[in-house]
Amino acid sequence: MKLIYKNIRLLVCFTLLLLLGSCDDFEEMNQNPTKSTQMDPNLMLPTIQLQLSGGMYEQWRNGFIYSGDWMQQWTGEYATTEFGGKGQKNDAYMSALWDTQYPREVKNITDMVARTTGDPAQVNINAVARIMKVYIFSRLTDLYGDIPYFEAGKGYYEGVLAPKYDSQRDIYYDFFTELSEATQALNSANDPITQDFYFNGDITKWKKFGNSLRLRLAMRLTKVEPDKAKTEAEAAIAGGVMDSNNDMAVMRHINVPFGGDVYGGNGTSYVFMSTSPAESSYRMATPFVDYLEKTGDPRLTIFGRAYLKDEARTDVTSQVRTKLGSYVAMSLPVSTFSYEATGAAIKVDVNGEQTDVTPILQKLQPSKFISAIDAPYIIMSYAEVELWMAEVAARGWNAGITAQEHFNKALEAGVKQMTVYGVPEVSQAAINTFVTANPLVTGKELEQINTQLWVNFALNAQEGYANWRRSGFPNLTYRNRDPAVNQSNGQVPRRMQYPVNEYLLNATNVQAAAARIPGGADVWTARVWWDK
Amino acid sequence: MKTNFTLLKKWTTVIIMMLTIVYYRAEAQTTVVNGQCLSSEDNSPIPGATVLIKGTSSGTVTDLNGRFSISASSNDVLILSFIGFVSQEVPVGNHSVINIALVPDVKALSEVVVTALGIKRDAKALGYAISQVGGNELATAKEINVINSLSGKVAGVDISTSTAGPSGSSRVIIRGNSELSGNNQPLYIIDGVPMDNTQAGGAGMWGGYDLGDGLSSLNPDDIESVSVLKGASAAALYGSRASNGVIMITTKSGVKQKGIGVEFTSNYTAEKVLSRFDDYQKVYGQGRDGLLPMENNNNNTQSAWGPQLDPNLTLQIYNGETKPYGLVNDNILSFFRTGSTLTNNIAFSGGTDNATVRVSVSDMRNKDIVPNTGMGRNTFLINSSMKLGSKITVNGKVNYIAEKVDNRPALSDNPNNVGLAIIGIAPNFDQRWLAEGYKDAYGRYVDWNGNTYRINPYWSTNDMTNTSRRNRVIGFLQMNYDFTKWLSFQLRGGTDYYDFRYTNFMPKGTPLWETGALQEQTNHIAENNYEGLLKFNKEISEDFFLSAFAGGNIMHRRAEFQTNTGSGIVLEGIEAITNFTTQSNDYNLVRKQINSLYGAVQTGYKDTYFLDATIRNDWTSTLSKGNNSYYYPSVSGSFVFSNLINKNTPLSFGKVRASWAEVGGDTDPYQLSLTYGLKTFSLLGKPLGEIANTSVPNLQLKPTRTYSYEFGTDLRFLQNRIQLDLTYYSKKTTDQILPLIIPATSGYNTAIINAGEITNKGVELMLKGSIIASPRFSWDIIGNFARNINQVVKLHEQVKEYTLANARWAGAAVMAQEGETFGTIVGKKLLRDPNGNVIHTAAGLPMFGSEQEILGKGTYDWTSGITNVIAYKGFRLSALVDMKVGADVYSMSSAIAHTNGSSTETLEGRAGWYTSEEARLAAGVSPADWQPTGGYVGQGVVNVGTAENPVYETNTAFVNPQSYWGTFLSNSPEPFIYDATYAKLRELTFGYTFPSALFSKTPIQGASISFVGRNLFILYSNLPNIDPESSYNNGNGQGLEYGSIPSRRSFGVNFSVRF
């Protein structure tokens, strides 16, 4: 009996030892060994920069299908015509940007700002984060109107699980404060920006980018609050904006297929080449080709070229151009499925062989330069800034020099910037011819400037769509190709509706925002605040 | 030398004696023994009693007069047994007549069942429901994944499979869904050791592969019995993982037996498509707007909106060939092949008084109906036990399993889902044409439909390959030490370790992966359990029985996941990660430990009153200090009231039982703090850092709680010929730890919180009747029924809905919504006037609401199974009909069939519209200015008033049916939500056991042959084309079907022989 109790005591002791011995390790055991509780915010910047231009779906859905079809530069692809061209709503397409940016870019940029605010050793990275924050939110609010801003992305920091929606006016006013403070805070003597793709850590260029962004956003307000627009635009210019193509904000990409775990490619190119590496599903739309051809723009054949459908994408642009007589004949009408390309097959000479070119291949596809998966993505160009300044001057506000001077610089820079795609330089003589041939015409300045902005945004349809809504230029006619299924009163919609998920998960706040929309309903034909 | 000689002589004598015995045994006289079996109480005959020759399975049953007749050898021992009586053993000797009086068993109904921690209990002592299924019920009509064989056999256990087929996973739900975030599946315990049943991967709304689960590793022929512990009380000792029930599997072990102890089983089945594709129109072919496709346009291979089929017309297909435009019959079925499964199993077993051992080896090879898809499995099992002296017993088990699956089918929206490609093909397009020239002369992919998201199925099955292998060891080592007769100690260490490797290769030219890609996934998963148990077991007095145990367990789980992906293949044909230009690497390590102490007391009084109580305390590594220790009790009791009433009533046995239990639970590791990590790749030399959490972490998490109670009764009438088992249960799970889906605007997709309350209440009924019970002929009917009522009582103050799954099309989702049942299917509804008529636009298209509304639910109201067993002499016919009633399913296959114009419903209005269009084009009028003369007229109304003051008139507008049916895919799932109720002939076996007399001169002990069939017929279904059992995953969001691979029926033969 004694032996039994002795044995039991031994066992109990042994068991307790095991239990207690391992209890101490519990906290360490519950710490993921592959993750850290700390991270230098500098390491998070390149991720945000990549994701802003490297995602395929938001570029496709909000970029090409909706904004893109309506801006009439590219057409042919199925969903673009079926949804954008017919004006049919698709919840997932409308909410694509929202669905990707909030839980990704907004979350990380909020964290970067929160952890660097007030830290004298992180002044520059804080300023950079604030500029990026404005950039991210500006694309969101321009598309949807009132959005969660002040409380957004604070699920962890402030425990806000269901953020309220802020008015676009408040958001814009805060943009200007943020940009003004951030650009002033930037100082080359302070902490270095170590992992930056856009400017390689150049603080001066960040300053110019911040002010240029402020200028872009200031110009959004010309319809709704011209005085504020003027104040902010002039302040931005005074603060120092981009003044050469060297100042452009450009994201670099690599050639990896989409869909894998590595997605370093250019989102626009993923969309262009989504069907086959041998043929883009997009074609240049008639209004775009027509305008470039009429203005003698050297960029026409940089944007678009005709290719055979073979592995090499053999270039037949000049042969087809000769047969058809014009580039416009090589374009596809707006909101058209590519298989609806009409005309007869032609035979052209390819390396001495007579080769059939079907109508669909006679149309200009996005060129190999701009549709390469590793093509760079222009976040903001110097040419754009010159065009804003041209408008500032044209409106009689202070932009240093005249509208014409700015416009000339913009055209020249606009052509020259295409070299970022690896395109051979266009000769200065050709550029001069183009610039001289397109002077500003009195009374038509705003139309000319904003149509050039439209060209500038040919690969960034969302910005083009925002500026078209503000300026009304170029004057585009919506094709409304199938009135029976159209859900936009036969007009180009003016915004994207809020995601269905918000109605499920954040009903009170989204309903309050919807009630503020002119007409009181969350419809895509209603206008955002600055689009009075 | 002399001594040696003597010794030799001695040995020789021994050997000769042994040989003589053997000879004598072999020559033992076989005689026919006749006899009668009576009750010792009143000398009444006992019909239906079993007469068995000890150590064999040959035997007979007594007739209505209790008489029997059996061939036996003089050295055989007969065992006579009957429920409610004490079994008796009678040596045959030289008797030719044996009359036996059986003594009633005071411990009536000595049904021994295996309960938690492997403790064997008398079923009548239990205060909760437990169901046990014998191994042979699972091994005859085999399923590769053995758990599927339980379908329809146990009340309240709802089993569903994915359309991935034999290699896929199963979803097992006991007493309803109670968790939002977990998988709601039971804990599996194999011979006392928990088995990891996590899925390596499944398909979601955008596609994926079902990478199978742990249960597919088990060899059905090794299973002795399966116990299902349904309620929390039964499972309370297993801790939180058991709150969804426990399925305890006991494998066969060695026994002392006659013969050399070899059993060989062979099973062959053929698999054929079960789904019928009966809702495909056969009038119109490919094209759009009633027009034949233009040349060089293959965009509409999957669009059946062309002109009327006419074999005299021709069209050029994707590969440049010209083909007739006529109807192709059996177009879908011709793609799939007849599958086959061959299983061979051999087991050796034997034992002495001090040691037993069983060794088995099995080989299973399967070819699925999807070409090039198949699975192989080898299992090796050693189960042994040894007594060391009088006090120590040592048990050990090692089970090694090697599994390989080739080319698991892609599911759901995956571009290479052959189901999606095949079911969408226009009726004129023979799927076989897709095999002709899908690769060009250089082996490159040729586009067939202008849609990179639908890969040519021949490329999918022939050129894209995936392989998965799992090597697994399940085993334990156990020592028992008996201090005294009533006190013993048990120490056990058990492990379940496996590595799983999956590679998925996309050759160069594959749409979306043009440069070629490879994905490699390697998982190493180990769960080790160490347990010590002190057992006390004593009859204090003749009337009072007490047993108790106390113990502790340490559970340690370590899971490593390594994923490498590469794109840009360099040397074609080399499927190695080093052969890719771009690579990304991900590694994850998940660790978790739970330490537990627990104890239980079981008492019995006069074999009539029973009371059990348990308590357990857990310390978990996944919750923070202060919250990580929690205890939970259970109590249960039963009362065998039939012991107190007159024996001469029709009631042979009666018992009531009741139990109450609480179970606490923890969560997954790493949910308490915000962490940062790098992406699995870098870009141009820069690291890509980000917040690693997609959930808002929560340091304050508390353990979750499940409270449950149940009561029930077990009644048997007419000497057990009628058995009724009825249970009512109620279960409430609160403070669930779940990733609450929050608005993306918070920056996170989810927040880890304690929230929610879900209740499940229901009844389970089992009724068994012996309609005929004569010795030669018997007919039993066993029915079970389960009704579960679920309610999501509460979620969270800020968020009232939880998305369980999103559907690929029309914005539909499966939700848990406050106040509703778990798993509602929601989506936008068609707009209707107050009379319920669908409102149309002036143009004649249906209008849709803007809110997500409930359209159905993905969980069944009740499930039922009815088994009929008819036995005549050695023949046995058994049929199981399995029914599930009351769930709905959103069939996206049907939605696509309507959008594509291949459903019969899309025929209406086509001829009229095409005539109208011809006239319009002839007149040169634009669509806006044309008044259509024919077409589809949507049934319903049109608002001719204003939005504020609507006036509804019957809709008469003609529309293009293509436009009409095209509006749903991005707007509303409503027309494609079907009742998923079904009845299936789940299992049919017809077996014959050869009389043992047949083998009396051979070493064969017994042999049987069965013709088996599974899932033979769908007896009832409302779903067009698709088997209602066609989920693409086994997640919580059931009720979605998309691009299903046809379901399979199997039939074949099972042969078994023992030596």
Side-chain angles (χ1 to χ4, degrees), chain A residues 475-495:
Chain A
N475 187 10
L476 304 168
T477 310
Y478 186 54
R479 180 173 164 197
N480 191 20
R481 66 166 281 163
D482 191 348
V485 299
N486 179 272
Q487 295 174 300
S488 68
N489 305 332
Q491 301 296 314
V492 173
R494 307 297 291 201
R495 62 183 280 276

Side-chain angles (χ1 to χ4, degrees), chain B residues 161 192 544 767 834:
Chain B
T161 56
F544 190 67
L767 185 64

Side-chain angles (χ1 to χ4, degrees), chain B residues 764-1024:
Chain B
E764 286 157 3
L765 171 76
M766 195 279 291
L767 185 64
K768 185 176 173 181
S770 296
I771 309 292
I772 297 170
S774 83
R776 281 164 176 263
F777 184 68
S778 71
W779 178 17
D780 292 341
I781 300 181
I782 307 140
N784 69 67
F785 170 89
R787 168 87 170 102
N788 184 67
I789 296 171
N790 169 291
Q791 196 187 14
V792 179
V793 179
K794 220 162 47 192
L795 272 186
H796 187 263
E797 25 182 75
Q798 284 183 40
V799 185
K800 303 296 181 194
E801 300 187 290
Y802 182 84
T803 305
L804 300 167
N806 284 303
R808 170 66 185 87
W809 296 105
V814 182
M815 312 285 293
Q817 297 169 306
E818 224 170 77
E820 302 292 338
T821 188
F822 186 96
T824 47
I825 303 171
V826 301
K828 289 179 187 168
K829 277 189 177 169
L830 287 156
L831 269 191
R832 290 172 194 272
D833 73 6
N835 298 322
N837 299 309
V838 175
I839 306 173
H840 292 74
T841 62
L845 289 173
M847 295 175 74
F848 304 98
S850 56
E851 307 268 306
Q852 295 282 82
E853 293 177 73
I854 296 176
L855 294 160
K857 66 179 170 37
T859 51
Y860 286 96
D861 288 333
W862 56 268
T863 57
S864 178
I866 295 171
T867 308
N868 273 277
V869 182
I870 295 169
Y872 175 72
K873 289 187 172 173
F875 295 95
R876 189 172 181 276
L877 177 69
S878 159
L880 165 62
V881 173
D882 194 359
M883 274 174 281
K884 294 189 187 181
V885 176
D888 303 292
V889 60
Y890 171 27
S891 174
M892 288 177 268
S893 297
S894 178
I896 297 273
H898 283 76
T899 309
N900 285 351
S902 49
S903 165
T904 49
E905 207 173 354
T906 63
L907 289 175
E908 193 184 332
R910 282 206 207 190
W913 180 262
Y914 299 152
T915 311
S916 165
E917 280 294 280
E918 264 172 48
R920 179 182 71 80
L921 289 171
V925 179
S926 81
D929 302 325
W930 177 257
Q931 206 49 260
T933 58
Y936 185 77
V937 180
Q939 204 182 354
V941 295
V942 60
N943 180 9
V944 292
T946 61
E948 290 77 28
N949 296 306
V951 179
Y952 296 110
E953 280 178 9
T954 306
N955 172 47
T956 53
F958 291 117
V959 289
N960 184 349
Q962 183 183 329
S963 305
Y964 183 88
W965 293 109
T967 54
F968 291 100
L969 215 50
S970 50
N971 285 305
S972 171
E974 191 179 330
F976 312 111
I977 291 182
Y978 298 89
D979 175 12
T981 297
Y982 71 84
K984 265 188 187 180
L985 179 58
R986 180 72 72 192
E987 186 176 299
L988 187 73
T989 63
F990 178 62
Y992 179 66
T993 305
F994 297 99
S996 53
L998 209 63
F999 311 114
S1000 57
K1001 295 239 156 50
T1002 70
I1004 294 173
Q1005 297 277 313
S1008 65
I1009 188 163
S1010 305
F1011 298 93
V1012 299
R1014 287 198 61 83
N1015 302 318
L1016 287 176
F1017 300 103
I1018 299 175
L1019 304 171
Y1020 178 89
S1021 162
N1022 290 317
L1023 194 56

Side-chain angles (χ1 to χ4, degrees), chain A residues 121-376:
Chain A
Q122 303 194 83
V123 170
N124 282 337
I125 188 68
N126 176 262
V128 165
R130 288 165 79 182
I131 293 170
M132 291 308 294
K133 187 184 86 174
V134 171
Y135 177 78
I136 293 162
F137 277 108
S138 69
R139 288 170 66 83
L140 284 166
T141 185
D142 286 351
L143 213 46
Y144 299 94
D146 292 2
I147 55 168
Y149 174 71
F150 291 105
E151 289 184 350
K154 294 185 173 160
Y156 177 71
Y157 280 101
E158 288 170 21
V160 183
L161 303 188
K164 69 171 174 50
Y165 285 57
D166 301 300
S167 80
Q168 193 176 52
R169 184 175 189 275
D170 291 349
I171 297 170
Y172 259 82
Y173 272 65
D174 192 65
F175 284 167
F176 297 128
T177 312
E178 287 289 284
L179 290 173
S180 147
E181 287 178 12
T183 47
Q184 279 164 38
L186 284 165
N187 184 337
S188 304
N190 281 328
D191 58 301
I193 304 301
T194 58
Q195 307 289 345
D196 166 30
F197 276 115
Y198 291 174
F199 307 112
N200 207 17
D202 187 326
I203 298 295
T204 320
K205 287 185 181 172
W206 271 105
K207 216 173 200 149
K208 290 180 183 171
F209 175 52
N211 282 318
S212 303
L213 185 58
R214 189 175 174 186
L215 174 59
R216 178 198 275 181
L217 299 178
M219 296 310 286
R220 286 274 195 281
L221 307 194
T222 52
K223 261 204 288 193
V224 64
E225 288 190 8
D227 291 345
K228 179 73 175 168
K230 175 173 186 288
T231 316
E232 292 297 333
E234 287 178 346
I237 294 166
V241 293
M242 293 179 184
D243 59 10
S244 84
N245 276 349
N246 287 332
D247 292 337
M248 283 201 297
V250 178
M251 182 62 201
R252 290 180 288 148
H253 289 280
I254 58 171
N255 183 13
V256 287
F258 186 81
D261 284 9
V262 182
Y263 52 88
N266 180 328
T268 319
S269 305
Y270 283 139
V271 179
F272 277 145
M273 304 311 293
S274 67
T275 328
S276 158
E279 183 192 358
S280 172
S281 44
Y282 283 89
R283 297 294 182 272
M284 277 179 102
T286 306
F288 189 36
V289 177
D290 184 47
Y291 181 75
L292 295 177
E293 194 166 33
K294 273 203 299 230
T295 51
D297 197 321
R299 286 174 290 189
L300 200 168
T301 52
I302 299 175
F303 279 123
R305 303 200 66 86
Y307 297 112
L308 296 181
K309 188 179 182 178
D310 54 16
E311 211 160 7
R313 294 184 79 191
T314 305
D315 197 318
V316 289
T317 317
S318 60
Q319 297 96 311
V320 176
R321 164 78 176 74
T322 311
K323 286 256 175 171
L324 298 187
S326 73
Y327 286 114
V328 168
M330 296 168 72
S331 69
L332 205 57
V334 297
S335 304
T336 302
F337 297 109
S338 61
Y339 59 78
E340 293 175 319
T342 52
I346 54 173
K347 280 195 192 303
V348 301
D349 183 304
V350 179
N351 302 325
E353 246 180 80
Q354 285 294 304
T355 309
D356 266 331
V357 183
T358 56
I360 194 169
L361 295 178
Q362 294 163 18
K363 310 302 179 196
L364 293 165
Q365 300 179 36
S367 74
K368 282 190 237 180
F369 309 114
I370 61 162
S371 64
I373 298 302
D374 58 359

Side-chain angles (χ1 to χ4, degrees), chain B residues 11 57 71 84 159 305 357 424 430 501 509 548 599 608 645 680 699 895 976 1037:
Chain B
W11 274 113
S57 62
S71 315
I159 296 170
W305 292 109
V357 67
D430 192 330
R501 183 172 165 83
T608 302
I645 57 174
T680 58
L699 196 58
F976 312 111

Side-chain angles (χ1 to χ4, degrees), chain B residues 664-676:
Chain B
D666 63 344
T667 181
D668 295 329
Y670 315 148
Q671 310 228 47
L672 308 182
S673 53
L674 192 73
T675 55
Y676 301 84

Side-chain angles (χ1 to χ4, degrees), chain B residues 510-682:
Chain B
T510 304
L512 303 176
W513 296 279
E514 305 291 350
T515 60
L518 178 70
Q519 182 202 350
E520 292 184 336
Q521 186 185 333
T522 309
N523 304 348
H524 301 286
I525 309 224
E527 179 176 319
N528 296 326
N529 278 272
Y530 310 95
E531 181 192 68
L533 203 59
L534 188 67
K535 296 194 238 183
F536 173 89
N537 197 332
K538 195 166 189 184
E539 280 191 27
I540 305 289
S541 71
E542 195 156 298
D543 285 340
F544 190 67
F545 165 83
L546 175 69
S547 86
F549 57 82
N553 187 85
I554 296 172
M555 189 286 290
H556 187 265
R557 182 185 152 87
R558 182 185 166 90
E560 281 181 281
F561 304 93
Q562 176 117 34
T563 309
N564 300 319
T565 56
S567 63
I569 192 164
V570 182
L571 301 169
E572 281 192 59
I574 307 294
E575 298 175 26
I577 196 73
T578 46
N579 186 36
F580 289 82
T581 51
T582 311
Q583 294 171 26
S584 80
N585 310 299
D586 196 15
Y587 171 79
N588 226 330
L589 173 63
V590 180
R591 298 168 300 180
K592 173 173 175 173
Q593 184 170 332
I594 299 176
N595 299 337
S596 319
L597 285 176
Y598 41 81
V601 180
Q602 296 141 0
T603 60
Y605 180 66
K606 285 197 162 171
D607 257 332
T608 302
Y609 308 94
F610 300 91
L611 190 67
D612 289 12
T614 70
I615 188 159
R616 174 168 166 140
N617 196 97
D618 286 347
W619 292 264
T620 174
S621 68
T622 60
L623 297 175
S624 61
K625 238 179 196 160
N627 287 325
N628 70 349
S629 165
Y630 46 95
Y631 72 92
Y632 39 93
S634 87
V635 60
S636 64
S638 71
F639 168 41
V640 183
F641 63 85
S642 55
N643 285 352
L644 303 183
I645 57 174
N646 192 336
K647 298 278 180 230
N648 293 327
T649 59
L651 183 76
S652 6
F653 177 80
K655 163 186 149 179
V656 289
R657 56 172 188 259
S659 72
W660 175 90
E662 178 184 340
V663 176
D666 63 344
T667 181
D668 295 329
Y670 315 148
Q671 310 228 47
L672 308 182
S673 53
L674 192 73
T675 55
Y676 301 84
L678 296 177
K679 284 209 172 292
T680 58
F681 59 98
S682 60

